Amino acid sequence: MSFGVDTKGVYPIAATPFHPDGRLDLDGVDRLTDFYQEAGATGMTILGIMGEAQKLEPEEARAIARRVAARSRVPVVVGVSAPGFAAMRSLARDAMDAGAAGVMIAPAPHLRSDEQIAAWFAQAVEAVGPDVPWALQDYPLTLTVILSVPLIARIMTEHPSCVMLKAEDWPGLEKLSALRRRQAAGELRPFSILTANGGLFLDFEPERGSDGAMTGYAFPDMLVELIDLHARGQRDAAHDLFDAHLPLIRYEQQPAVGLSVRKYVLMRRGIIASDVQRKPGPALTGTGRQEVDYLLRRLARHDRRAAV
């Protein structure tokens, strides 16, 4: 399925559902896959940081990739980031053979200089195959690797198989503008830019040049509507919708418990049966759940999707 430099819309970062005892919930994977598509997603991204990929056994990751690729009617991008290139190569090839549209690669956290980062990505592309479309994940807040605008331009120039930037630097609005200026001047080839950070800056990112969102906020149907409003030039309506969801988006941004919030909301919406994370991973306290419930009740006054 199509995944390329012209990709637009919403690619939700999928959670990985588990049973209360920590076992992988494959029926829950099916429900999530259907939910994202019914929400209007133009694609899906699985096995990312939100998907707890680092906590999965290799065969579990392959099972999820195969299952989602077989069930999805939209392009599936598979996160293949790993400490070593052998594991990256194995998962990427298995996912592509199963029908994935592409992969996502994040820089290894130990990288520091531009030369180190550029050399590492050259080896990563060699590992997955230069014919495999991939998204470059720029997430310095968690990965501690700084990808400057000139370095992103270099990676894009050296690797035509990189078709997308997953932009989640913070702050990142000026970075978006700088990249788009280079493209407008003919100094940089086209590529898609989807933004993340839980949607925290999605009120202005489309105006700065993003093509959509790739994030795990538990209301992907809202993200789809928001991107559509921006595309139709309905700026005030887009900002009104964003403002209604902002308290919950902000609450999700708490370090360590953000995924707990997302999984709890997905469970409240009836999409997954349990909000359990694989250990290590914190659960919401009773007070935290009450606060999320309160935010959902307030949100429901403006958006009926929150009436759970």
Side-chain angles (χ1 to χ4, degrees):
M1 290 180 281
S2 176
F3 168 64
V5 298
D6 297 321
T7 294
K8 299 181 185 299
V10 174
Y11 273 58
I13 296 287
T16 297
F18 298 104
H19 291 289
D21 61 3
R23 289 179 298 114
L24 185 62
D25 180 2
L26 288 174
D27 290 336
V29 170
D30 289 345
R31 289 195 300 274
L32 267 175
T33 302
D34 294 343
F35 167 66
Y36 290 132
Q37 293 178 96
E38 291 164 3
T42 50
M44 290 178 55
T45 305
I46 62 174
L47 303 181
I49 294 173
M50 181 186 166
E52 300 176 75
Q54 73 280 8
K55 303 176 188 177
L56 299 173
E57 296 287 344
E59 190 49 47
E60 289 178 319
R62 291 185 177 88
I64 292 172
R66 294 170 190 151
R67 194 156 183 130
V68 175
R71 192 176 186 88
S72 179
R73 302 182 304 276
V74 297
V76 176
V77 175
V78 180
V80 298
S81 303
F85 293 124
M88 187 183 296
R89 177 188 302 110
S90 177
L91 179 55
R93 290 181 178 176
D94 197 79
M96 295 303 292
D97 287 344
V103 302
M104 182 171 67
I105 304 174
H110 70 273
L111 300 171
R112 287 297 175 263
S113 72
D114 285 4
E115 289 305 318
Q116 287 177 333
I117 297 167
W120 187 91
F121 273 108
Q123 293 178 332
V125 171
E126 180 183 17
V128 303
D131 59 330
V132 174
W134 61 284
L136 168 62
Q137 185 173 13
D138 179 18
Y139 193 12
L141 273 74
T142 292
L143 300 172
T144 72
V145 178
I146 305 299
L147 300 181
S148 65
V149 168
L151 180 56
I152 291 172
R154 175 178 174 179
I155 293 170
M156 292 295 178
T157 299
E158 293 180 352
H159 304 292
S161 57
C162 187
V163 300
M164 176 184 290
L165 174 67
K166 184 189 179 189
E168 43 191 335
D169 202 347
W170 186 349
L173 293 176
E174 297 301 332
K175 197 175 204 177
L176 276 174
S177 294
L179 288 166
R180 290 310 195 198
R181 281 196 300 268
R182 288 191 174 217
Q183 290 175 322
E187 301 169 358
L188 185 57
R189 68 172 176 85
F191 54 86
S192 172
I193 301 179
L194 299 188
T195 54
N197 278 321
L200 192 59
F201 302 98
L202 203 55
D203 49 345
F204 287 110
E205 285 165 344
E207 300 175 9
R208 291 295 194 113
S210 78
D211 295 302
M214 183 185 281
T215 186
Y217 182 54
F219 284 87
D221 33 0
M222 168 271 190
L223 299 176
V224 170
E225 182 181 353
L226 182 64
I227 294 300
D228 182 62
L229 288 169
H230 275 294
R232 289 190 278 121
Q234 298 186 25
R235 189 187 197 201
D236 288 345
H239 280 260
D240 287 344
L241 178 61
F242 177 84
D243 291 348
H245 282 259
L246 182 56
L248 183 58
I249 291 173
R250 178 183 60 89
Y251 197 89
E252 274 193 358
Q253 293 300 309
Q254 297 178 89
V257 299
L259 179 56
S260 302
V261 176
R262 289 180 181 180
K263 281 194 150 183
Y264 178 65
V265 174
L266 287 170
M267 183 180 71
R268 286 289 316 276
R269 298 192 74 187
I271 311 304
I272 58 177
S274 169
D275 62 346
V276 165
Q277 296 181 58
R278 276 265 173 97
K279 295 179 181 179
L284 277 180
T285 64
T287 301
R289 290 187 176 211
Q290 291 173 7
E291 289 169 345
V292 174
D293 290 341
Y294 177 71
L295 290 173
L296 288 172
R297 289 195 298 271
R298 288 182 59 82
L299 177 58
R301 299 176 189 175
H302 307 281
D303 191 334
R304 287 178 294 177
R305 284 171 290 216
V308 296

